[in-house]
Amino acid sequence: MVKPAWVREPGPGPRLVHVNATATGGGVAELLHGLVPAQLAAGIDAGWAVIAGDDGFFAFTKSLHHLLHDRGAPRISTADLDHYREVLAPQAQWLAARVGPGDTVVLHDPQVLGLAPALAGAGARVVWHCHIGTDAAGAAGPEVVWRAFSAELSSVDVVVTALAEYAPPGRPVAVCAPAFDPKAAKNRPMCGVETGELLAEAGLTAGTASELAAVEQDAPMPVGARMVLQVSRWDPLKDMPGVLRLLPGLPGDVHLVLAGNDPEEIPDDPEGLAVLAEVRRLRAELPASLRRRVHLVRTSQRDAERAALLINALQRRADVVVQKSLAEGFGLTVTEAMAKGRPVVAGRVGGLCAQIEHGRTGLLVDPVDTAAVAAAVCGLLSCLRDRERMGAAAAAAAAATYPMDRLVADYRAVAARIPEGASR
Ligand code: UDP
């Protein structure tokens, strides 16, 4: 029988059980790696289970992801929906046998929304935390999802979203921003020496093959070079190819580092290989003088702690961090860069607008306007004072707005809103 796997099995309860589709890769997994320990430390019997799925299941759930961002043709096929429900049915039974009245289950994103009816049937409180969406009112993509999933949604007690605009109509909603863990390997303070050692160990500045990451480059990045960075999954909406196209508009000494997970390691993101292939093709087509300034870094979760330290080092080393997303639910990569005092240039979309106050804690630009993005990056590169001023304001804003204990309290408040045996 296909069944979920515990990342952390909860105790006797009352339990707060998170369920999502992957233990590594992407913002939800990142969030849960910080949130679950924080909830345990706060005396909450927290658990975390990850569902399984096949290629057809994850191709469908990725299409739901795009629809919630209002991308792609606004259609859902009955066959895909039936398959989705078939894959989840035994896993819903497995989970429903392990929770009951007094417990709260938090389902993260559309991959696991289909578990809601069985869990509600078991008497648990059911929260759906939808991390993605669009702020365009009346958008066709989300409407199609809400219609197809009306039965599942009616079993949800509260929907949690990062922005109010992402919520489906007709269900109680709580708006809770994500959070980051300043003590985690991804974010903990790191001196310049350690940063340099990690980048050398990864092969970025040393040019040697490494267990830590796979780096594709013509030559190592010079140790003192100015560096522009984007960190993200190889997802079409993150627009890594668009970041590569910034290169001709940047000063000739600036190196561009595109860092992302190994796509083979993220089961719920089937598009990664194709995006990475496109980035490789674009890089190969560049004249040698530009190509030597592009470095593709693929991190592996085989040693998750070291991979997180490498991302930490890259973010600290970058002179400017870019997040050229065409759509973005929230964008933890930006929170992480801001928390490290980095000046960020980000697409004026979704959760990036919620995080950045334009001109004070970063710069927001039209992400499809390559010249405008490059100009914003160049402007920051040319002015150390602006970079320092923005970086300091960004660090203060991230620390004040996105601490993990705030999210722990948010979840407590959400669960407390749902009466025992809530009527759905
Ligand atoms: N990330 C990582 N290694 C990578 C690329 C991304 O650890 O090679 C992390 C990144 O640091 C962040 C998360 O994955 O914590 C991405 O979250 P975000 O909300 O930015 O985007 P999502 O992937 O959820 O769309």
Side-chain angles (χ1 to χ4, degrees):
M1 173 182 141
V2 188
K3 59 180 186 154
W6 289 118
V7 178
R8 202 238 162 221
E9 188 168 353
R15 308 171 189 90
L16 178 82
V17 180
H18 298 276
V19 187
N20 81 323
T22 179
T24 57
V28 175
E30 183 74 26
L31 185 74
L32 292 177
H33 278 293
L35 179 60
V36 171
Q39 289 178 323
L40 289 168
I44 298 163
D45 188 356
W48 176 8
V50 174
I51 57 136
D54 58 22
D55 290 352
F57 177 86
F58 287 126
F60 174 60
T61 58
K62 191 70 202 274
S63 76
L64 296 175
H65 182 100
H66 285 305
L67 284 173
L68 290 177
H69 281 302
D70 200 28
R71 303 278 159 156
R75 267 194 313 274
I76 288 180
S77 94
T78 313
D80 284 343
L81 193 55
D82 288 348
H83 182 63
Y84 170 93
R85 289 181 173 138
E86 269 162 34
V87 168
L88 288 183
Q91 309 195 72
Q93 292 316 316
W94 189 88
L95 280 164
R98 284 159 181 80
V99 295
D103 296 332
T104 302
V105 184
V106 185
L107 305 173
H108 292 267
D109 278 342
Q111 293 94 319
V112 293
L113 174 58
L115 302 169
L119 297 169
R125 299 179 175 97
V126 181
V127 175
W128 183 45
H129 193 152
C130 182
H131 295 265
I132 49 182
T134 173
D135 42 18
E143 298 277 325
V144 167
V145 178
W146 307 149
R147 257 201 313 280
F149 285 84
S150 60
E152 284 83 358
L153 285 168
S154 66
S155 296
V156 168
D157 294 301
V158 175
V159 177
V160 173
T161 57
L163 302 190
E165 295 88 330
Y166 295 174
R171 299 312 301 161
V173 176
V175 177
C176 305
F180 74 101
D181 177 1
K183 293 190 290 301
K186 176 73 57 69
N187 300 308
R188 69 148 166 85
M190 187 179 274
C191 68
V193 173
E194 188 181 5
T195 302
E197 284 171 359
L198 277 159
L199 299 189
E201 186 192 335
L204 181 67
T205 50
T208 45
S210 162
E211 290 277 291
L212 188 50
V215 179
E216 296 171 40
Q217 57 189 2
D218 283 6
M221 186 174 83
V223 171
R226 293 195 291 173
M227 172 182 153
V228 171
L229 170 74
Q230 177 161 306
V231 174
S232 54
R233 286 178 298 108
W234 307 94
D235 178 309
L237 295 178
K238 308 288 182 181
D239 199 19
M240 287 289 220
V243 181
L244 194 57
R245 290 192 185 95
L246 298 177
L247 192 65
L250 302 182
D253 64 310
V254 172
H255 285 244
L256 194 56
V257 177
L258 306 183
N261 314 78
D262 183 342
E264 307 263 17
E265 294 181 1
I266 310 185
D268 72 336
D269 186 6
E271 295 174 313
L273 283 171
V275 173
L276 180 57
E278 187 189 353
V279 172
R280 283 179 170 146
R281 183 182 58 74
L282 289 172
R283 179 177 168 274
E285 284 170 8
L286 289 171
S289 59
L290 287 178
R291 203 172 55 233
R292 70 175 179 78
R293 290 163 45 211
V294 179
H295 311 263
L296 308 185
V297 178
R298 249 176 315 130
T299 62
S300 169
Q301 293 300 315
R302 282 191 301 274
D303 185 341
E305 170 98 1
R306 302 287 294 160
L309 285 171
L310 175 59
I311 296 294
N312 187 340
L314 286 167
Q315 288 169 330
R316 286 182 192 281
R317 171 65 178 76
D319 293 281
V320 175
V321 172
V322 173
Q323 191 61 54
K324 196 183 169 301
S325 301
L326 308 172
E328 189 68 73
F330 183 72
L332 264 183
T333 49
V334 162
T335 329
E336 292 160 2
M338 289 173 70
K340 295 176 181 82
R342 297 296 85 205
V344 178
V345 175
R348 194 181 293 113
V349 292
L352 303 180
C353 299
Q355 293 192 67
I356 291 177
E357 190 184 327
H358 179 67
R360 196 178 77 79
T361 61
L363 295 177
L364 292 168
V365 286
D366 176 355
V368 295
D369 186 344
T370 304
V373 181
V377 173
C378 289
L380 282 175
L381 284 171
S382 70
C383 183
L384 176 63
R385 235 185 36 194
D386 278 356
R387 293 204 301 279
E388 288 182 344
R389 175 179 59 79
M390 247 174 227
T401 320
Y402 305 114
M404 201 53 89
D405 55 354
R406 193 225 71 232
L407 187 57
V408 172
D410 285 353
Y411 266 113
R412 259 194 216 280
V414 167
R417 262 174 68 173
I418 310 168
E420 191 65 47
S423 61
R424 297 179 177 89

